[in-house]
Every structure is written in structure tokens, then in C-alpha cells.
Amino acid sequence: MFSLLKTRSKARKPAPPEMRTLDVAGRLMPLTIKQHDRATRITLRIEPGGRALKMTVPKGLAAREVNAFLDRHQGWLLTKLAKFSTDAGLRDGGEILLRGISHRIQHSGSLRGLTEAVSIDGRPVLRVSGMPEHVGRRIAAFLKKEARADLARLATMHAGTIGAPIRSISMKDTRSRWGSCSSEGNLSFSWRIVMAPPSVIDYLAAHEVAHLKEMNHGPHFWALCGKLCPGMDEAKSWLKRHGSQLHAIDFD
């Protein structure tokens, strides 16, 4: 009997997360509610980019308590979400960052042609062709190309400094992290980093290359990262302050 009960206990699976849509002053936000055996209080967080919410609650907490918590924190959510703009102005006359510099978006009016960064009357401009409704996608494709060029150059330079080979470099659109490094030497970066200042792009490249030697975030790793990128602390601070805004831009 004891072994039977033990087997049944092991077979029990945690309750699946509850998926909701929460209305925050007219802004519909996907909400994931997950029960956790060790949770002693309710925690609510905004996912990177401000596009979704995640809530952790003690196991068996009544739905009315969850709802009451959400009602009490509407003001907090409204304040926090205010800094995440879903309208990045990705249209003719709007603005987009490229290497930390704001560029005015100019639709060329032509259905064909390259997206290019130019200077017009001394002002940085991003000239975009194609259908007006596809401006956001074309800007994203341009940023990916520019990010790959910058990060490949910087990562190769830093890898040469520490004598560590890179197997591959890829661009992704992850919102949980800015980059990653596998034990095989594969580096991955979020192409959105190309909107940040050059010093921040350099820090990200140095960070992931440092993992080729130190697959951790211990003292030796940070010492190596700081050696490769002397402006590490300032770059980390910039990402902490502004990174979520870059993640929040919707290019589709």
C-alpha cells in the first residue's frame, strides 16, 4: 500500500498555468498565472518589452484573491506600462534609433530599393522603400543586417584578444536575454541591440565572447568582460534603463 501511494504521489503533475487577458485601462495584456508549491505570496511582473504579464501565486489560492490582487494593482501596472509604447512611429516622418542616434524615417515612395541610413541637410535619415504598410518590416530587416555586421566584427575582435574560436554567430529576436553563448562556441545576439549606442553594442559582444572562456557569471568572468570592455558598467546601466523600450517596439 505504501509503495502504491508513493507511486501515485510521484505521478501527480503541477497544475498547468492559467492564461488570461487583463484589461489595464483599455490596454489588453496577456497574463500567465502559475501556481507554485513554494510560493508564500503573490508576485506580478511585466515581461521584457512590456507585452505580457506573469503572475506567481501560492498553490490553491482562491480565484477571488487573485482577482482582488489584480484590481488593487491596476494603478501600479498603468504607471509601469506607460513607459512601454507600442507605437514606435514606424512610418514616414517617425523616428527610429540606429546606434544610439535618432533617425527620421523617410518613405522613398518607390516600391523597390534598399533601406539606407543617409544624412539630409545635416540630419540623420533612414530612407525606406516598399509599400507604406511594410515600413516596419523593412526597417527590422535593415537593423538585423546592421546588427550582424557590427556584432560579427566586434565579437571576432574580442575573441582574437583572448584566443577563443567562435563557431557561429546568429541574430535572434529574444526578449528574455540579449545574447547567449553555447559550450560549442555558438554566439547568439538580439539584433535589437543595434539601436543602442556603440559602447553598449560593444559590451554585448564582449559579454558573450567572455563566456567562451568562462561559462558562468563569476568573478573571473566579470574581470575578463571588464578587460575586453572597459565601459562595461556604463553599458550595463544603459541597458537596464532603456533595454525594455527597445524590446517593446513592434516592427510587424
Side-chain angles (χ1 to χ4, degrees):
M1 177 63 72
F2 175 78
S3 62
L4 179 61
L5 289 174
K6 186 175 182 181
T7 301
R8 287 178 178 173
S9 177
K10 283 186 175 180
R12 285 187 297 182
K13 296 181 179 180
E18 178 188 351
M19 309 300 294
R20 291 191 194 179
T21 299
L22 184 67
D23 187 335
V24 183
R27 185 170 180 174
L28 299 180
M29 300 291 297
L31 169 65
T32 301
I33 303 174
K34 186 176 182 179
Q35 296 186 23
H36 198 290
D37 290 338
R38 297 182 181 178
T40 57
R41 60 189 178 88
I42 300 175
T43 58
L44 178 64
R45 77 178 189 190
I46 301 171
E47 296 283 39
R51 295 188 175 189
L53 306 172
K54 186 174 182 180
M55 193 176 193
T56 302
V57 303
K59 187 175 180 180
L61 187 71
R64 65 177 180 276
E65 295 189 51
V66 172
N67 295 334
F69 181 93
L70 291 170
D71 287 341
R72 290 197 305 272
H73 288 79
Q74 278 274 325
W76 177 84
L77 280 172
L78 189 59
T79 300
K80 292 294 183 181
L81 289 171
K83 70 176 183 178
F84 298 106
S85 173
T86 56
D87 180 12
L90 299 180
R91 56 184 177 272
D92 187 51
E95 301 281 334
I96 188 69
L97 288 171
L98 175 61
R99 300 183 181 96
I101 298 174
S102 181
H103 285 59
R104 181 170 58 83
I105 299 170
Q106 181 188 82
H107 186 250
S108 67
S110 173
L111 295 182
R112 294 187 179 183
L114 297 174
T115 299
E116 55 182 351
V118 298
S119 178
I120 298 178
D121 296 329
R123 181 175 181 181
V125 171
L126 190 65
R127 184 179 288 155
V128 187
S129 60
M131 298 293 289
E133 60 268 29
H134 297 157
V135 165
R137 296 182 203 172
R138 293 183 70 89
I139 291 175
F142 172 80
L143 294 179
K144 291 174 190 177
K145 179 173 67 73
E146 295 297 302
R148 177 177 290 278
D150 284 7
L151 289 163
R153 174 179 56 81
L154 292 166
T156 300
M157 178 186 70
H158 290 311
T161 299
I162 64 175
I166 298 173
R167 183 177 180 181
S168 70
I169 297 176
S170 61
M171 298 295 116
K172 296 185 178 180
D173 193 14
T174 53
R175 288 179 171 82
S176 59
R177 58 175 65 183
W178 284 103
S180 65
C181 173
S182 74
S183 57
E184 292 80 20
N186 300 313
L187 304 184
S188 175
F189 300 98
S190 168
W191 53 263
R192 290 171 181 260
I193 197 67
V194 80
M195 291 184 280
S199 60
V200 181
I201 303 172
D202 182 47
Y203 160 67
L204 180 60
H207 184 113
E208 298 310 330
V209 166
H211 279 311
L212 294 171
K213 289 286 188 180
E214 299 286 340
M215 291 295 290
N216 55 69
H217 284 107
H220 293 296
F221 165 81
W222 288 114
L224 179 58
C225 191
K227 181 180 179 181
L228 293 174
C229 179
M232 175 182 72
D233 292 337
E234 292 81 2
K236 286 172 63 179
S237 178
W238 192 97
L239 271 181
K240 185 176 181 180
R241 295 194 311 272
H242 305 290
S244 293
Q245 285 93 324
L246 303 187
H247 281 309
I249 299 174
D250 188 356
F251 290 90
D252 293 327

